[in-house]
Amino acid sequence: MNILEVRDLSFSYPDKSILHRLSFNVEKGDFVCVVGTNGTGKSTLLKLILNILQPTEGEIRLFDKRADKFRDYSKIAYVSQKATSFNRDFPATVEEIVSLGLYSAKGFLKPYSASDKEKVKAALERVGIYDYRKSRVGRLSGGQQQRVFIAKALVSSPEIIFLDEPTVGIDITAVDSICCLLGELNKSGITILMVTHDISSILYHSNKVLVLSEDGSGEIMPSEEFNSHTILNHVHHKH
Ligand SMILES: Nc1ncnc2c1ncn2[C@@H]1O[C@H](COP(=O)(O)OP(=O)(O)O)[C@@H](O)[C@H]1O
Ligand SMILES: [Mg+2]
């Protein structure tokens, strides 16, 4: 089953054309990495999928619904780029941030039930930060903060998680452990689409790579077929 279908997608900002006739599918159980040099439109693609931006041409379907008609928000979760740039004194605890993930499923201003508290606890345990639940999020390391955001994404039991460069600014051992965590979540049945530069750390866990080129086109391939030459080829095409 296709969870995501992108058909002939083109997108331009008022002054700049970004994506050009991009097509690919994401099936249930996939772990897709999105790679491409800076400015190729990776973050823009995620915003289009999430209907934060709308296509100039083409179509995006989530769970067989057009992205602009899709309302089943608890099925999807998004960890945005630089989600983790808290001031040390940011006045929220780990537990509070993760609880925010329930709003997509419940709507705002509904009181938490015992089962909601259970969901938050389960998400905190699943990413290995339960012991930090009362800590201020700004006091944690970058890798731990990223786990907080993954837990927040998990709390509504999504079928697919979109992540935008979740390993930026995190030290290398933490990068590997985040990648392993995402690999485990994927094995447990959650579909993942992740923008990343840490392709070497994640390639072992992913099954497909979507390469975006500077000319706005893109190509999806099995992870085994992907190698660093692919990016170089795409960059050279343009010149
Ligand atoms: N709101 C915007 N208005 C105009 N141009 C933008 C906007 N957001 C991003 N861009 C430009 O679009 C291009 C793609 O941006 P982005 O999707 O963030 O790339 P990536 O995530 O691949 O680095 C970049 O050249 C960026 O400067
Ligand atoms: Mg980006």
Side-chain angles (χ1 to χ4, degrees), residues 13 15-16 18 37-44 81:
Y13 289 110
D15 54 339
K16 198 172 174 196
I18 310 291
T37 50
N38 280 332
T40 45
K42 303 178 298 295
S43 298
T44 300
Q81 194 165 16

Side-chain angles (χ1 to χ4, degrees), residues 98-164:
V98 173
S99 300
L100 291 173
L102 287 168
Y103 288 135
S104 71
K106 288 173 71 79
F108 279 93
L109 305 175
K110 301 221 180 87
Y112 289 126
S113 65
S115 95
D116 290 337
K117 291 201 178 109
E118 239 354 272
K119 283 180 196 160
V120 171
K121 180 170 184 243
L124 288 165
E125 285 175 339
R126 203 160 173 197
V127 305
I129 50 167
Y130 183 70
D131 290 347
Y132 297 93
R133 65 193 178 281
K134 302 290 181 198
S135 305
R136 282 195 180 199
V137 67
R139 302 291 166 94
L140 303 185
S141 70
Q144 286 168 329
Q145 289 186 9
Q146 202 51 262
R147 282 170 187 268
V148 173
F149 280 93
I150 294 169
K152 174 173 175 269
L154 284 173
V155 90
S156 64
S157 307
E159 293 189 34
I160 182 165
I161 303 183
F162 299 95
L163 303 105
D164 197 349

Side-chain angles (χ1 to χ4, degrees), residues 53-66:
L53 295 170
Q54 288 73 40
T56 311
E57 283 178 66
E59 187 174 73
I60 299 172
R61 298 183 75 82
L62 275 167
F63 297 90
D64 214 22
K65 273 235 153 61
R66 252 177 54 174

Side-chain angles (χ1 to χ4, degrees), residues 71-86:
R71 294 288 178 274
D72 212 344
Y73 299 117
S74 66
K75 284 190 172 166
I76 64 174
Y78 174 43
V79 179
S80 65
Q81 194 165 16
K82 301 213 177 68
T84 57
S85 45
F86 286 110

